Amino acid sequence: MSLWTSLEPASATVDPGGSTTVRLRLRNTGDVVDEYRFEPVGPIAPWTTVEPPTLRLFPGTTGTVDLTFSPPRTPDAAAGPNPYAVRITPTEHPEATTVPEGNLTITPFTEVRAELVPPTVKGRFRGRPRLAVDNLGNTKLTASISGSDNGDQLAYEIHPGSVQIEPGRAAFVRTTLKPRQIIWFGSKEQRPFTLNVLRSGVNPLPVEGTYIQRGFLPRWLATFFGVLLALTITFVMLWIAHKPTVISGATEETAAGATLAPSASPSATPALPPAPAPVATSAAPSADSGDSGGGGGGGGATPTVTAKPKADTAATAVNRLAVNDPGGRHICYRAFVDGKGWQKPVCDGTMSGTAGQGRSITALNVAVYGVQGSAGTAMVYDPDSTNGQGKWLPSWTAIKADGRDNYIGSSKADAPYLVTFVYNVGSGQACNSVKVRYKEWSDQVCNNARPDLNTAGNFDNSRFIEAIKLTV
């Protein structure tokens, strides 16, 4: 060994976002002039600089270099002791490499961000917003969630009531808002509310939202019922108050006849007035009777029954394209967006979903043409995840023929959002570009036909798919 080294100090402390310097002292104990190269190694090497990077020493002389540590204020800078090392390589004797080691303690910091997804919810009897809590600090976050509003107008069901979040991760809290009084008649009312993220020793972090409570029945219907009731009561009261006088014409005529022309024979019974003629009625033709309304000259026109139009799905869109391009390859798709529902179908690389609005996709509807059908599945959010990843849907949905709808995920209330979407086609290539929450659009990724798979998204349980573009 021809080199002596010393770290001054051997242990140091630094705040994330700041910097600190450790001096490395070394002496050339050999008998030749040597030049030494310095290289930081270990987990904190990206945040370490050495100045100067090389040092030339004569035999028996001592020199120093400065090690500067600048950890960023991000979750990557884990709080606590972090070992570090510097590899020193002599130019003349590279086999005599020395690696002095030290310890750098990074102080903890806490930074929390929370938002409602979506910030405004609507409903008659309940609303279901989600609260996203992100741990941007470098220590584990433990917090509980509570709800409040002015006037205690809402009841809150929060699951889970408390969360533990690793640095750089996020957790989603499902919240159900229930109004304490139902609006039976009338217009909607806005009820502001606040969800508080509570941590020990610090002030609560409030997240404000709005619940728009709709009336059970519209105001015009209540007015209609009120007017109808008033008219009914008025009619009944008039009917009871009016008592018509009934005069028997037969009695009067009999009395007059007895006075003017008495007869020993009994008088004839007066004739009853003729019965009213029956009102002519005609039966309306049924929708499926097949009558044309002609003949007899008096028939009316048969009423027209209009069928309800079919939903505009991915299959109807791709089949429209196929009419004008029977030899082409096409893929159409639409997304079920949380808080918005099914979107209109788009085709061949057009965006479906939303970008930058914090709204997740819970289901996709896909249809293809000219590629021998499609198959797909998805990884969805898992509230019980222990490895930070979502869970796969139990089975694939496969459509082997072109021009038919394929559904992946669920459009039901409280359905889990899509974390990753996987699909393939029977021939050619399948490509995608995806927008994941808090990330930019990914580059287009393409794969060959089955059995190859085309994967869109990531496997982070806290990052949902916001928008997607597909091509074949």
Side-chain angles (χ1 to χ4, degrees), residues 1 7 17 29 32 35 82 111 151 157 226 261 265 284 289 303 361 374 383 437 469:
M1 176 66 69
L7 289 170
T29 59
V32 296
E35 185 177 64
N82 292 266
E111 185 174 345
E157 293 180 4
S265 61
S289 65
I361 294 177
S374 67
R437 184 172 183 259
K469 302 176 183 177

Side-chain angles (χ1 to χ4, degrees), residues 430-462:
C431 304
N432 83 80
S433 179
V434 66
K435 172 69 174 68
V436 175
R437 184 172 183 259
Y438 296 143
K439 293 186 178 182
E440 299 298 326
W441 278 97
S442 69
D443 295 333
Q444 187 180 63
V445 177
C446 298
N447 295 88
N448 293 326
R450 65 176 68 97
D452 282 4
L453 302 177
N454 186 265
T455 304
N458 61 174
F459 301 101
D460 189 339
N461 198 39
S462 63

Side-chain angles (χ1 to χ4, degrees), residues 71-433:
R73 189 176 174 85
T74 65
D76 297 330
N82 292 266
Y84 70 89
V86 181
R87 182 186 293 118
I88 306 174
T89 305
T91 303
E92 297 296 330
H93 301 282
E95 72 281 357
T97 299
T98 302
V99 185
E101 298 179 354
N103 187 72
L104 178 69
T105 299
I106 300 177
T107 60
F109 78 95
T110 302
E111 185 174 345
V112 183
R113 180 173 60 188
E115 63 176 330
L116 280 169
V117 183
T120 301
V121 291
K122 302 177 182 179
R124 291 181 174 84
F125 305 109
R126 61 182 56 83
R128 293 188 176 95
R130 285 194 181 111
L131 179 66
V133 184
D134 293 89
N135 183 6
L136 304 180
N138 64 350
T139 60
K140 180 184 289 188
L141 170 68
T142 300
S144 59
I145 314 299
S146 68
S148 62
D149 60 274
N150 293 330
D152 196 25
Q153 297 174 333
L154 301 173
Y156 302 85
E157 293 180 4
I158 300 174
H159 180 76
S162 60
V163 292
Q164 286 190 339
I165 311 173
E166 296 293 335
R169 296 286 186 175
F172 283 84
V173 178
R174 298 191 300 273
T175 305
T176 301
L177 311 175
K178 294 183 178 180
R180 299 188 184 276
Q181 293 183 349
I182 298 175
I183 302 175
W184 293 105
F185 297 97
S187 59
K188 58 189 177 184
E189 294 187 9
Q190 293 190 1
R191 305 198 186 280
F193 66 92
T194 302
L195 296 182
N196 295 295
V197 181
L198 307 175
R199 294 171 291 151
S200 177
V202 297
N203 294 328
L205 173 63
V207 183
E208 297 181 350
T210 302
Y211 172 58
I212 299 179
Q213 185 181 357
R214 296 169 174 165
F216 183 74
L217 294 175
R219 185 181 297 275
W220 68 264
L221 190 57
T223 304
F224 172 77
F225 283 145
V227 172
L228 182 62
L229 179 61
L231 291 175
T232 302
I233 295 174
T234 302
F235 177 77
V236 172
M237 295 300 295
L238 291 174
W239 179 264
I240 294 175
H242 179 64
K243 294 182 179 180
T245 303
V246 180
I247 301 174
S248 176
T251 303
E252 294 176 355
E253 290 179 1
T254 302
T259 304
L260 299 176
S263 172
S265 61
S267 59
T269 303
L272 296 174
V279 179
T281 59
S282 60
S286 62
D288 57 351
S289 65
D291 294 341
S292 63
T302 303
T304 302
V305 178
T306 303
K308 182 180 180 180
K310 295 183 178 180
D312 192 9
T313 67
T316 59
V318 82
N319 287 324
R320 284 195 298 267
L321 288 178
V323 171
N324 297 323
D325 187 17
R329 297 162 50 86
H330 300 286
I331 181 170
C332 294
Y333 43 95
R334 59 179 180 145
F336 188 90
V337 179
D338 183 33
K340 287 183 174 291
W342 282 113
Q343 295 187 324
K344 292 290 185 181
V346 297
C347 303
D348 299 334
T350 305
M351 185 190 82
S352 183
T354 59
Q357 297 183 19
R359 296 182 181 273
S360 61
I361 294 177
T362 63
L364 286 172
N365 170 212
V366 181
V368 296
Y369 182 81
V371 294
Q372 300 177 16
S374 67
T377 188
M379 174 180 282
V380 299
Y381 172 70
D382 182 9
D384 301 320
S385 174
T386 58
N387 60 359
Q389 296 184 1
K391 61 181 178 181
W392 289 104
L393 293 176
S395 61
W396 280 70
T397 59
I399 302 297
K400 297 183 179 180
D402 288 337
R404 295 175 57 188
D405 282 313
N406 194 355
Y407 289 91
I408 297 96
S410 174
S411 59
K412 295 182 179 179
D414 293 333
Y417 57 71
L418 302 190
V419 174
T420 301
F421 168 60
V422 180
Y423 81 110
N424 61 17
V425 293
S427 65
Q429 282 191 330
C431 304
N432 83 80
S433 179

Side-chain angles (χ1 to χ4, degrees), residues 53-78:
T54 61
L55 185 64
R56 186 177 180 86
L57 294 177
F58 287 91
T61 61
T62 301
T64 60
V65 296
D66 290 333
L67 308 179
T68 302
F69 303 98
S70 304
R73 189 176 174 85
T74 65
D76 297 330

